[in-house]
Amino acid sequence: MVPAPADAASAVTRIKDISKVQGVRSNQLVGYGLVVGLAKTGDSNKVKETVQSIGNMLKAFGVSIDTSSLKPDNVAAVMVTATLPPFSREGDTIDVTVSSIGDAKSIQGGTLVQTPLRAGNGEVYAVAQGPVSTGGFMASGGGNTAQKNFPTVGLTPNGAIVEKSVEDDLGQDGRLSLSLANPDFTTASRMVQSINSQFGNIARASNPGRIDISIPAYYRGNVVGFIANLEDLPVVPDSIAKVVMNERTGTIVMGGNVSVDECAITQGGLSIHVTKNTNVSQPDPLTYGSTIVANNTNVKVKDKPSSTIVLPATANVSDIVGALNAVGATPRDTISILQAMKASGALHAELELI
């Protein structure tokens, strides 16, 4: 169990660390293409889309063939994905991920053929091409197979060239907005106070997750400088009392502002162990007896004495942690205890299971 420090709620941070400027975002790109040059580890002729794609590609170069005779084991059909960073311009390069969609065994060592990458609006924003590196391998022989990582997924570093940039109008109308990472009324109000104390009455909170700001006239020609100064302003974020629990790993993280009413906690348990022993009875030599197998079952019951503690109404997170450790509660016991405290109304915090 990991308790947060008692003064975590009053820690001073920068606006930059708890919010972001609206409009500054990445864009997802996707495309369909072919990886060629494989050492017979590509798709089989059962993957019709690969055969058809090869035929279409060759037709674009003026080569007409009978696709029914193709053996595409040196080619693999792939999906190509990439993320277009904000403020990318024509000519910039970005990494692309290449993933097989057929039955190819490996795309290691292949080359991605020129593939247009489209955004959600259907427009092409980048074109990808280049060698594919998987960082893994697969080898087989004599009925044995060895594999490392995933040879059907690879990366082409700087494999895509940006052909079209996303238009940005950051601060063009003299306004911008900040989005809080964790919307909160108190934090939003404190951010407005911090901004207005530095630049005058230019900010207002339209809701707990958004701050609207009018750019001062003397910063209209230097929006980047204004945002840099804005993001560096200090603010004291606030948050609701929360306990995050992971039952799979037994991890518990408590915020420093968790409190409880006066309550009593009893922790104990009944353990039952059932064991089975097999005894063999062998007759004496030269007798007409037969071997007999007997199963003996032993049952042991152990009732652990319960431990009871009383938490005062002024208890904080340190008191809770210390008290639960005092009764010998394991992390999973602690999760059950916290859930019971919440159900009784004694624990003033939001419980979240992950």
Side-chain angles (χ1 to χ4, degrees), residues 18-264:
I18 60 174
S19 66
K20 66 177 182 179
V21 179
Q22 285 189 357
V24 180
R25 56 181 290 263
S26 301
N27 290 275
Q28 295 176 334
L29 305 178
V30 65
Y32 169 80
L34 295 174
V35 171
V36 300
L38 304 176
K40 295 188 180 300
T41 59
D43 294 335
S44 66
N45 53 11
K46 296 179 181 179
V47 185
K48 301 303 181 182
E49 60 267 27
T50 304
V51 176
Q52 182 179 348
S53 298
I54 295 174
N56 294 340
M57 179 183 66
L58 294 177
K59 186 177 180 179
F61 288 99
V63 180
S64 298
I65 61 171
D66 180 11
T67 56
S68 61
S69 62
L70 281 177
K71 295 183 179 180
D73 51 359
N74 288 343
V75 183
V78 295
M79 294 303 296
V80 184
T81 57
T83 299
L84 183 66
F87 309 115
S88 295
R89 295 298 176 184
E90 293 85 347
D92 292 348
T93 58
I94 56 177
D95 298 342
V96 298
T97 301
V98 183
S99 306
S100 170
I101 60 173
D103 57 4
K105 299 179 179 63
S106 174
I107 59 174
Q108 174 65 33
T111 300
L112 175 68
V113 179
Q114 190 177 82
T115 304
L117 301 181
R118 304 176 186 273
N121 59 4
E123 296 186 16
V124 175
Y125 282 86
V127 176
Q129 180 172 282
V132 179
S133 175
T134 63
F137 65 85
M138 187 186 70
S140 60
N144 297 323
T145 301
Q147 178 176 322
K148 179 181 179 182
N149 297 334
F150 297 93
T152 54
V153 178
L155 181 70
T156 302
N158 298 321
I161 300 176
V162 177
E163 299 292 338
K164 181 180 180 181
S165 60
V166 178
E167 295 298 329
D168 59 85
D169 55 354
L170 188 63
Q172 294 298 318
D173 58 353
R175 302 184 62 85
L176 58 84
S177 297
L178 297 177
S179 295
L180 276 69
N182 297 302
D184 182 83
F185 286 99
T186 304
T187 303
S189 178
R190 292 174 180 175
M191 286 179 60
V192 169
Q193 294 175 10
S194 179
I195 295 171
N196 289 341
S197 64
Q198 179 70 23
F199 298 103
N201 190 23
I202 64 170
R204 59 179 292 271
S206 58
N207 59 58
R210 174 177 167 177
I211 309 296
D212 293 325
I213 302 171
S214 298
I215 302 175
Y218 52 89
Y219 269 116
R220 295 292 173 88
N222 185 16
V223 177
V224 173
F226 173 68
I227 294 176
N229 293 331
L230 185 71
E231 290 182 331
D232 202 42
L233 293 178
V235 67
V236 180
D238 194 25
S239 61
I240 63 173
K242 180 181 288 189
V243 180
V244 180
M245 304 176 295
N246 189 325
E247 288 188 306
R248 296 185 300 274
T249 62
T251 302
I252 304 172
V253 179
M254 292 184 179
N257 49 359
V258 175
S259 62
V260 299
D261 290 335
E262 183 175 352
C263 63

